[in-house]
Amino acid sequence: MEQFRKTMGDSAPPRSSDTPVGPTRAFDAAGPTTEHDEPSTPPDADGNTLPAEEARWDTAPRVQLTVALAVLTLTAAILLGAVLWHLGMVFLTLAPASSVTNRYQQAINGHIYPEFGQNWQMFAPNPLAQNVSVGARVQTLGRDGTRHMGDWENLSFSHIKAMKHNPVPSHLDQNVLRRSWDFYIESHDLKDNPTNGMRSTLSTEYLTRIALQHFGRQWNGERVVRIQLASRTTAIAPPEWTDQKAPDTTAYRVLPWWPVEEKFYKEL
């Protein structure tokens, strides 16, 4: 044992086996230690001083809470601005014509139509009591220069099929074809003469573009050169508890042939 101590360089005197060596004696034998002052920490809300580690972690939730409040405030401000903007556009759509509506009519219509169009016929004294089906057919040009006339296609049926079994049908599927037909009827007389200036021309092009969405540029492998539309109107039977009888008649209206231009396919 003495040889082992000399080899390791331990010059400490031997101790009696009867002397207890506890934790205190062990640290004392290890030599003096250097004391470090704990850094000062700010007191908490109650005036108590927090340890350094606890004080550092206490500021993290406060920073996160401040950021979260800033994000929520900004989001609320954006949502509130969007709601106010939408309500303002709806108000200007329903309000009488003024210098504001005349100047910004294009911007107002761009926001409202077609998704937020206003229609009060649900609350009218005489609601719609007719079923209107719109059909179309096209004339195509073959490679040999001959023209061929296609069969009538029920455009209303394809729109109704898109809504069937759909709990949340598209607003376009519900109204775009009906509104385009009404737009044309309101701007033309029974002889299809325009009665509303530029809006009459716009209604013709609008109805043509919607019909071409069904046919495309080609039909049965040939290029579409002309299109014709027609409507079939039947009266809806009144409720059984009334004494009214619906006329058992069907009215047809056939529009003239319209040439198909390349501009009608833009943005289809």
Side-chain angles (χ1 to χ4, degrees):
M1 180 63 70
E2 188 68 23
Q3 184 65 27
F4 177 77
R5 292 176 177 174
K6 291 181 178 180
T7 304
M8 298 303 295
D10 189 357
S11 59
R15 293 177 297 183
S16 174
S17 59
D18 298 333
T19 304
V21 181
T24 305
R25 295 291 301 274
F27 282 112
D28 292 342
T33 58
T34 303
E35 296 183 358
H36 299 277
D37 295 336
E38 293 291 337
S40 60
T41 57
D44 58 7
D46 298 330
N48 300 321
T49 303
L50 300 175
E53 188 70 17
E54 185 177 352
R56 184 171 68 253
W57 286 105
D58 183 68
T59 58
R62 299 180 182 178
V63 174
Q64 295 177 358
L65 180 60
T66 303
V67 175
L69 290 176
V71 172
L72 291 177
T73 302
L74 179 61
T75 304
I78 294 175
L79 292 178
L80 180 60
V83 171
L84 293 177
W85 171 267
H86 177 70
L87 293 178
M89 293 296 102
V90 174
F91 171 78
L92 293 176
T93 302
L94 303 177
S98 63
S99 58
V100 177
T101 57
N102 293 336
R103 182 175 181 180
Y104 300 102
Q105 190 65 53
Q106 185 175 359
I108 296 173
N109 293 340
H111 177 80
I112 294 296
Y113 300 105
E115 288 82 3
F116 307 112
Q118 304 298 310
N119 191 339
W120 303 106
Q121 292 183 349
M122 180 184 297
F123 308 100
N126 297 318
L128 294 177
Q130 295 176 331
N131 281 328
V132 181
S133 297
V134 179
R137 60 179 179 176
V138 294
Q139 189 178 77
T140 59
L141 181 64
R143 295 182 178 180
D144 56 354
T146 59
R147 298 196 176 194
H148 304 91
M149 186 180 302
D151 297 330
W152 287 101
E153 297 286 333
N154 193 332
L155 303 181
S156 299
F157 176 78
S158 60
H159 284 256
I160 294 175
K161 184 179 179 181
M163 294 184 293
K164 194 175 183 180
H165 306 302
N166 186 356
V168 187
S170 169
H171 186 81
L172 294 177
D173 291 335
Q174 297 181 70
N175 297 313
V176 65
L177 182 60
R178 176 181 60 84
R179 295 292 296 272
S180 63
W181 181 261
D182 293 342
F183 186 21
Y184 178 85
I185 297 301
E186 293 172 357
S187 57
H188 291 78
D189 59 18
L190 295 178
K191 295 183 179 181
D192 297 305
N193 296 318
T195 59
N196 201 5
M198 184 61 68
R199 290 181 61 84
S200 299
T201 305
L202 181 61
S203 67
T204 303
E205 180 177 340
Y206 184 39
L207 186 59
T208 302
R209 288 167 59 89
I210 293 175
L212 288 176
Q213 290 180 346
H214 178 81
F215 296 99
R217 296 176 182 269
Q218 293 185 349
W219 188 251
N220 295 330
E222 297 180 349
R223 183 168 63 90
V224 176
V225 292
R226 294 203 305 170
I227 189 171
Q228 186 180 32
L229 289 96
S231 68
R232 181 184 62 197
T233 304
T234 56
I236 299 176
E240 297 180 355
W241 49 267
T242 64
D243 297 333
Q244 301 177 2
K245 294 183 179 181
D248 188 15
T249 58
T250 302
Y252 295 90
R253 179 168 180 174
V254 181
L255 305 185
W257 284 97
W258 296 333
V260 175
E261 303 178 20
E262 182 63 26
K263 66 178 182 178
F264 296 155
Y265 290 104
K266 291 183 178 180
E267 300 180 2
L268 287 183

mmCIF file of all heavy atoms in Angstrom, residues 2-3 9 22 29 85 91 108 113 123 140 149 180 212 214 247:
data_model
loop_
_atom_site.group_PDB
_atom_site.id
_atom_site.type_symbol
_atom_site.label_atom_id
_atom_site.label_comp_id
_atom_site.label_asym_id
_atom_site.label_seq_id
_atom_site.Cartn_x
_atom_site.Cartn_y
_atom_site.Cartn_z
ATOM 1 N N GLU A 2 1.945 1.240 0.795
ATOM 2 C CA GLU A 2 2.835 2.394 0.843
ATOM 3 C C GLU A 2 3.501 2.620 -0.492
ATOM 4 O O GLU A 2 3.645 3.752 -0.953
ATOM 5 C CB GLU A 2 3.907 2.172 1.934
ATOM 6 C CG GLU A 2 4.771 3.392 2.200
ATOM 7 C CD GLU A 2 4.000 4.501 2.847
ATOM 8 O OE1 GLU A 2 2.944 4.212 3.487
ATOM 9 O OE2 GLU A 2 4.388 5.672 2.712
ATOM 10 N N GLN A 3 3.857 1.519 -1.170
ATOM 11 C CA GLN A 3 4.463 1.636 -2.490
ATOM 12 C C GLN A 3 3.486 2.191 -3.491
ATOM 13 O O GLN A 3 3.814 2.973 -4.369
ATOM 14 C CB GLN A 3 4.948 0.250 -2.951
ATOM 15 C CG GLN A 3 5.687 0.275 -4.271
ATOM 16 C CD GLN A 3 6.987 1.056 -4.193
ATOM 17 O OE1 GLN A 3 7.598 1.169 -3.114
ATOM 18 N NE2 GLN A 3 7.420 1.627 -5.311
ATOM 19 N N GLY A 9 1.886 9.465 -6.306
ATOM 20 C CA GLY A 9 2.206 10.826 -5.876
ATOM 21 C C GLY A 9 1.359 11.317 -4.764
ATOM 22 O O GLY A 9 1.192 12.522 -4.585
ATOM 23 N N GLY A 22 -16.823 11.210 6.368
ATOM 24 C CA GLY A 22 -18.164 11.547 5.871
ATOM 25 C C GLY A 22 -18.079 12.522 4.734
ATOM 26 O O GLY A 22 -17.000 12.903 4.273
ATOM 27 N N ALA A 29 -11.220 17.624 2.654
ATOM 28 C CA ALA A 29 -9.956 17.085 2.204
ATOM 29 C C ALA A 29 -9.663 17.436 0.757
ATOM 30 O O ALA A 29 -8.523 17.404 0.325
ATOM 31 C CB ALA A 29 -9.950 15.562 2.378
ATOM 32 N N TRP A 85 -66.093 45.782 -46.353
ATOM 33 C CA TRP A 85 -65.986 45.964 -47.805
ATOM 34 C C TRP A 85 -67.130 45.253 -48.526
ATOM 35 O O TRP A 85 -67.750 45.819 -49.428
ATOM 36 C CB TRP A 85 -64.640 45.442 -48.280
ATOM 37 C CG TRP A 85 -64.497 45.375 -49.768
ATOM 38 C CD1 TRP A 85 -64.763 44.303 -50.579
ATOM 39 C CD2 TRP A 85 -64.098 46.443 -50.645
ATOM 40 N NE1 TRP A 85 -64.539 44.624 -51.892
ATOM 41 C CE2 TRP A 85 -64.128 45.923 -51.970
ATOM 42 C CE3 TRP A 85 -63.706 47.756 -50.444
ATOM 43 C CZ2 TRP A 85 -63.782 46.695 -53.064
ATOM 44 C CZ3 TRP A 85 -63.368 48.514 -51.545
ATOM 45 C CH2 TRP A 85 -63.407 47.987 -52.833
ATOM 46 N N PHE A 91 -74.423 47.152 -50.486
ATOM 47 C CA PHE A 91 -75.229 48.365 -50.335
ATOM 48 C C PHE A 91 -75.238 49.185 -51.625
ATOM 49 O O PHE A 91 -76.290 49.665 -52.067
ATOM 50 C CB PHE A 91 -74.689 49.197 -49.174
ATOM 51 C CG PHE A 91 -75.319 50.559 -49.064
ATOM 52 C CD1 PHE A 91 -76.582 50.713 -48.520
ATOM 53 C CD2 PHE A 91 -74.652 51.688 -49.525
ATOM 54 C CE1 PHE A 91 -77.172 51.972 -48.434
ATOM 55 C CE2 PHE A 91 -75.221 52.937 -49.437
ATOM 56 C CZ PHE A 91 -76.495 53.081 -48.889
ATOM 57 N N ILE A 108 -67.758 47.410 -58.652
ATOM 58 C CA ILE A 108 -68.853 46.864 -57.847
ATOM 59 C C ILE A 108 -69.380 45.581 -58.473
ATOM 60 O O ILE A 108 -69.567 44.561 -57.788
ATOM 61 C CB ILE A 108 -69.974 47.909 -57.705
ATOM 62 C CG1 ILE A 108 -69.467 49.129 -56.927
ATOM 63 C CG2 ILE A 108 -71.191 47.302 -57.014
ATOM 64 C CD1 ILE A 108 -70.448 50.280 -56.888
ATOM 65 N N TYR A 113 -70.986 40.060 -58.795
ATOM 66 C CA TYR A 113 -71.448 39.032 -59.734
ATOM 67 C C TYR A 113 -70.314 38.100 -60.110
ATOM 68 O O TYR A 113 -69.163 38.540 -60.253
ATOM 69 C CB TYR A 113 -72.031 39.691 -60.983
ATOM 70 C CG TYR A 113 -73.210 40.585 -60.693
ATOM 71 C CD1 TYR A 113 -73.083 41.970 -60.725
ATOM 72 C CD2 TYR A 113 -74.445 40.039 -60.367
ATOM 73 C CE1 TYR A 113 -74.156 42.797 -60.446
ATOM 74 C CE2 TYR A 113 -75.529 40.849 -60.085
ATOM 75 C CZ TYR A 113 -75.381 42.225 -60.128
ATOM 76 O OH TYR A 113 -76.453 43.026 -59.848
ATOM 77 N N PHE A 123 -89.221 36.746 -52.242
ATOM 78 C CA PHE A 123 -90.149 37.472 -51.388
ATOM 79 C C PHE A 123 -91.169 38.274 -52.193
ATOM 80 O O PHE A 123 -91.894 39.083 -51.637
ATOM 81 C CB PHE A 123 -89.366 38.420 -50.473
ATOM 82 C CG PHE A 123 -88.258 37.734 -49.719
ATOM 83 C CD1 PHE A 123 -86.949 37.822 -50.153
ATOM 84 C CD2 PHE A 123 -88.531 36.989 -48.587
ATOM 85 C CE1 PHE A 123 -85.929 37.198 -49.465
ATOM 86 C CE2 PHE A 123 -87.516 36.360 -47.892
ATOM 87 C CZ PHE A 123 -86.220 36.456 -48.329
ATOM 88 N N THR A 140 -71.754 22.571 -87.705
ATOM 89 C CA THR A 140 -70.323 22.308 -87.806
ATOM 90 C C THR A 140 -69.882 22.313 -89.262
ATOM 91 O O THR A 140 -70.684 22.132 -90.184
ATOM 92 C CB THR A 140 -69.983 20.954 -87.168
ATOM 93 O OG1 THR A 140 -70.724 19.910 -87.835
ATOM 94 C CG2 THR A 140 -70.335 20.947 -85.691
ATOM 95 N N MET A 149 -75.702 19.893 -89.305
ATOM 96 C CA MET A 149 -76.489 20.423 -88.203
ATOM 97 C C MET A 149 -76.652 19.339 -87.139
ATOM 98 O O MET A 149 -77.068 18.217 -87.443
ATOM 99 C CB MET A 149 -77.853 20.899 -88.690
ATOM 100 C CG MET A 149 -78.687 21.593 -87.614
ATOM 101 S SD MET A 149 -80.293 22.121 -88.270
ATOM 102 C CE MET A 149 -79.772 23.181 -89.623
ATOM 103 N N SER A 180 -78.599 34.098 -67.506
ATOM 104 C CA SER A 180 -78.181 34.536 -68.841
ATOM 105 C C SER A 180 -79.352 34.561 -69.811
ATOM 106 O O SER A 180 -79.452 35.452 -70.662
ATOM 107 C CB SER A 180 -77.075 33.618 -69.363
ATOM 108 O OG SER A 180 -77.560 32.294 -69.519
ATOM 109 N N LEU A 212 -71.550 27.535 -75.378
ATOM 110 C CA LEU A 212 -70.358 26.917 -75.949
ATOM 111 C C LEU A 212 -69.556 26.135 -74.915
ATOM 112 O O LEU A 212 -68.724 25.300 -75.285
ATOM 113 C CB LEU A 212 -69.468 27.985 -76.587
ATOM 114 C CG LEU A 212 -69.995 28.584 -77.898
ATOM 115 C CD1 LEU A 212 -69.079 29.694 -78.382
ATOM 116 C CD2 LEU A 212 -70.139 27.502 -78.972
ATOM 117 N N HIS A 214 -70.763 23.893 -73.224
ATOM 118 C CA HIS A 214 -71.267 22.526 -73.384
ATOM 119 C C HIS A 214 -70.701 21.859 -74.633
ATOM 120 O O HIS A 214 -70.394 20.651 -74.621
ATOM 121 C CB HIS A 214 -72.797 22.549 -73.450
ATOM 122 C CG HIS A 214 -73.421 21.206 -73.671
ATOM 123 N ND1 HIS A 214 -73.624 20.293 -72.658
ATOM 124 C CD2 HIS A 214 -73.879 20.605 -74.811
ATOM 125 C CE1 HIS A 214 -74.176 19.201 -73.146
ATOM 126 N NE2 HIS A 214 -74.348 19.365 -74.451
ATOM 127 N N PRO A 247 -102.430 26.400 -66.753
ATOM 128 C CA PRO A 247 -102.721 26.159 -68.174
ATOM 129 C C PRO A 247 -101.873 25.010 -68.715
ATOM 130 O O PRO A 247 -100.672 24.955 -68.477
ATOM 131 C CB PRO A 247 -102.354 27.495 -68.839
ATOM 132 C CG PRO A 247 -101.391 28.147 -67.886
ATOM 133 C CD PRO A 247 -101.809 27.714 -66.521
#
